[in-house]
Amino acid sequence: IPTFSNPLDERAFRKMHHAAAIRWLGVNGYNNEGAGGHITVRDPIKPDHFWINPFCKSFRHMKPEDLCLVDEEGIVQPEGNMHAINPAGFAIHAAVHQARPDVIAAVHCHSLPTKAFSSLGCKLEPINQDACRFYNDHAMYDNFGGIVLAHEEGRRIAKALGNKKAVILQSHGILTVAKTVDAATYLFGAMDRCIEAQLMADAAAGGRGTETIKISHEEAEWT
């Protein structure tokens, strides 16, 4: 992770990678069904503020100057794009950033696999090498309170996440966090594909009348 002597340069760097990460989501088909997806990045100059994509702007065409800067109350600041933001996105992400000072970026989006998997009320299982990346390092938020507009609901999600890298939101989707927007976005894509693989494996095992083979605790932790 590069370091900067000028905080304005660091802000520009984070915004550039922020916009690129959102474009990556768009290119890979995420958020094609509406406005329910957001990436937030903590501002290096005002750590209690974060950048978020504007409401209903196409992921595929996001640019750094499109990003909005918001404070802890969700008020859009003039240093960024003066555009409306998704209030549900703010409620979740603000709580996560407040609870986790180590988190620079958080990613949440509605993908087909995660929408299906989150309805099952279970965690990702260590059925393959890639899934071990999330072994004992993701949480389950087992409540669905509708569209998350209340700060209290956001705080409950942040509490469920704890110190882990991801949380599965019941009947909703997933959220991933990291120390860079690049890492958080990578984790989102990786977890989404692991979930898709588990759905396929569970369906195949069900059709054969068997169960998937789990990697042992020791091997999953080491991997």
Side-chain angles (χ1 to χ4, degrees), residues 21 24-25 28-31 36-39 59 106-115 133-134 165-167 172-178 181-195:
W24 182 87
L25 291 176
N28 284 276
Y30 297 110
N31 206 45
H38 4 81
I39 294 181
F59 277 21
V107 180
H108 169 67
C109 202
H110 301 167
S111 73
L112 188 59
T114 58
K115 284 189 287 189
R133 176 176 289 110
F134 301 96
K165 66 178 63 165
V167 59
H172 191 169
I174 63 172
L175 180 139
T176 56
V177 299
V181 67
D182 310 66
T185 307
Y186 167 77
L187 289 173
F188 180 90
M191 191 172 192
D192 183 57
R193 288 188 292 273
C194 285
I195 284 173

Side-chain angles (χ1 to χ4, degrees), residues 92-93 95-103 105-107 123 134 136-142 153-169 174-178 187 191:
I92 297 174
H93 289 248
V96 169
H97 282 289
Q98 288 171 3
R100 293 279 301 275
D102 62 306
V103 166
V107 180
K123 292 183 180 179
F134 301 96
N136 281 344
D137 205 8
H138 72 288
M140 180 80 203
Y141 179 64
D142 58 2
E153 182 75 356
R155 284 190 284 268
R156 285 194 290 265
I157 291 172
K159 183 177 180 180
L161 171 66
N163 63 353
K164 295 178 169 55
K165 66 178 63 165
V167 59
I168 299 170
L169 309 177
I174 63 172
L175 180 139
T176 56
V177 299
L187 289 173
M191 191 172 192

Side-chain angles (χ1 to χ4, degrees), residues 15 51 65 67-69 76-83:
K15 289 177 67 179
W51 296 88
E65 55 265 33
L67 301 170
C68 303
L69 181 66
V76 178
Q77 303 297 302
E79 293 98 322
N81 181 14
M82 295 297 288
H83 192 285

Side-chain angles (χ1 to χ4, degrees), residues 4 6 15 26-28 56 66 78 83 87 96-97 105 107 109 112 116 127 132 136 143 147 164 170 181 189 208 217:
F4 299 86
N6 185 340
K15 289 177 67 179
V27 166
N28 284 276
C56 290
D66 293 322
H83 192 285
V96 169
H97 282 289
V107 180
C109 202
L112 188 59
I127 60 172
C132 292
N136 281 344
N143 181 52
I147 297 176
K164 295 178 169 55
Q170 177 69 45
V181 67
R208 294 169 59 88
H217 168 72

